[in-house]
Amino acid sequence: MVRWVVCSYDEASKVEGGPFLLHELRQAAVTVGGYSGQRDVERGDCTLLVRRGEGPLVQVKEGMFSCGGTMSLPLVLSALGGDAGEALAIAFTPQEVSEAKSAGMKVLAVASQTDAVTLADSGADIIVDSLLALGRFHDAGSFEAQLLKLEDTEGQSGTVRYGRNLLRPVSSPLFSLERAITLAIEMATNVWKNAYAPYSRFKVGAAVVSAATGRVYSGCNVENGSYGATICAERNAILHAIAVEGVIGIEALVVASKGNPLAPPCAQCLQVISEFARPETQVHLVSVDGKSHKVYQFGQLLPHPFVLE
């Protein structure tokens, strides 16, 4: 049972749903501790607030402490006298996640400053976009129930990493990857006809299968007289998918060409694909006449993509 909640008061008070959650916790008699980088700040709905001060940790007045050293979630829990095994840390940065996990706390991370993948890699148990995800509750028991529900739906459970993104793959019984790839081949072959390639005379069509929805998005290469402004078919299809869905994961990619051998994605496209694909993502190279078809895993084409940590 979670009896203690600790957080950065500065972040929790400004993030969506933060003030509401702090108020709900106080009403539910859950002990809340926070820390603030401000010297002078009101305690608000916190049971205890550690704030920037001078010297060691000293009590200033009831419910408020002053700390001259580095403030952290474990420090707040220590000041509360709480047990890490009964504590939930609400974290906003990878450092907060790591510190809280090292102290033995369960961590709910908010992806307001940092992307969900980085927070997951840091060890977060639950990841949400907004603290409104916790909803309403009336006591510690119902708060615990909300957390358990989030662990099943909003945390890492059921998610798959596609490049830099955590997504839940489509789970509809109506979805068939095999049928989606067949459609992607058809769409890539058809859009190949519309490619604008007056300089290279080499047309390419592409299509991606969205991991989250199963929808297929196509694109063709569009060349330019400056050459550098040319966009490849693969990137065009990816941009099409993002324009419709936002963050995407690529379950499969089809590249259609008339070349012999079949044309794989160029190095620049491979790097872009790596942002949204798994090493196991299928890459299908097909000829527009339907006579040639080769299948690779993305990891075979780009085993060591550049990753911005």
Side-chain angles (χ1 to χ4, degrees):
M1 178 74 70
V2 173
R3 297 180 52 212
W4 318 87
V5 172
V6 294
C7 62
S8 164
Y9 180 75
D10 294 341
E11 296 301 328
S13 61
K14 67 183 181 184
V15 75
E16 183 182 37
F20 172 77
L21 175 62
L22 294 177
H23 178 72
E24 285 286 288
L25 288 169
R26 188 168 180 81
Q27 294 298 309
V30 175
T31 302
V32 181
Y35 71 83
S36 172
Q38 304 175 50
R39 286 183 179 274
D40 299 307
V41 62
E42 294 296 325
R43 187 177 63 177
D45 284 306
C46 287
T47 307
L48 174 142
L49 183 69
V50 176
R51 66 181 185 181
R52 179 184 295 158
E54 303 295 338
L57 184 66
V58 295
Q59 187 167 4
V60 178
K61 60 182 180 180
E62 183 180 358
M64 297 187 73
F65 284 72
S66 176
C67 176
T70 301
M71 295 178 291
S72 66
L73 299 177
L75 173 66
V76 175
L77 183 64
S78 176
L80 282 169
D83 180 353
E86 298 178 312
L88 172 74
I90 299 176
F92 298 89
T93 67
Q95 181 180 352
E96 286 183 331
V97 174
S98 298
E99 289 176 347
K101 290 300 291 183
S102 296
M105 290 183 271
K106 177 179 284 189
V107 179
L108 182 150
V110 185
S112 58
Q113 298 181 22
T114 309
D115 64 272
V117 167
T118 302
L119 294 171
D121 288 347
S122 300
D125 300 293
I126 305 169
I127 302 171
V128 296
D129 294 322
S130 164
L131 288 176
L132 288 175
L134 285 153
R136 301 192 70 98
F137 46 88
H138 58 275
D139 56 22
S142 55
F143 176 58
E144 178 80 11
Q146 290 289 80
L147 290 175
L148 292 174
K149 182 179 178 181
L150 285 175
E151 279 194 271
D152 289 337
T153 60
E154 297 293 341
Q156 297 180 55
S157 176
T159 61
V160 176
R161 181 169 178 165
Y162 291 85
R164 289 291 299 170
N165 306 289
L166 285 174
L167 298 168
R168 287 182 184 80
V170 60
S171 58
S172 170
L174 298 177
F175 173 72
S176 163
L177 180 57
E178 184 178 349
R179 287 199 299 268
I181 290 172
T182 299
L183 175 60
I185 292 173
E186 180 183 345
M187 291 176 66
T189 302
N190 286 337
V191 80
W192 171 86
K193 303 171 187 175
N194 297 330
Y196 178 76
Y199 305 102
S200 70
R201 304 294 180 183
F202 190 80
K203 294 184 175 185
V204 181
V208 295
V209 179
S210 167
T213 65
R215 295 181 64 180
V216 180
Y217 301 91
S218 62
C220 59
N221 59 321
V222 179
E223 296 181 349
N224 189 274
S226 70
Y227 288 16
T230 293
I231 183 168
C232 297
E234 298 91 328
R235 282 179 284 147
N236 206 345
I238 290 170
L239 296 180
H240 182 190
I242 292 172
V244 176
E245 294 191 12
V247 176
I248 64 163
I250 300 175
E251 196 63 56
L253 166 71
V254 172
V255 182
S257 67
K258 201 175 183 179
N260 185 19
L262 298 172
C266 70
Q268 189 174 25
C269 282
L270 287 173
Q271 180 58 43
V272 173
I273 294 165
S274 72
E275 189 81 5
F276 308 102
R278 300 181 298 142
E280 300 81 12
T281 290
Q282 296 182 30
V283 179
H284 294 252
L285 308 183
V286 301
S287 60
V288 293
D289 60 11
K291 294 181 179 179
S292 300
H293 184 169
K294 292 187 177 180
V295 183
Y296 297 90
Q297 289 192 340
F298 178 70
Q300 294 176 281
L301 300 177
L302 186 63
H304 304 292
F306 170 76
V307 177
L308 184 61
E309 298 291 348

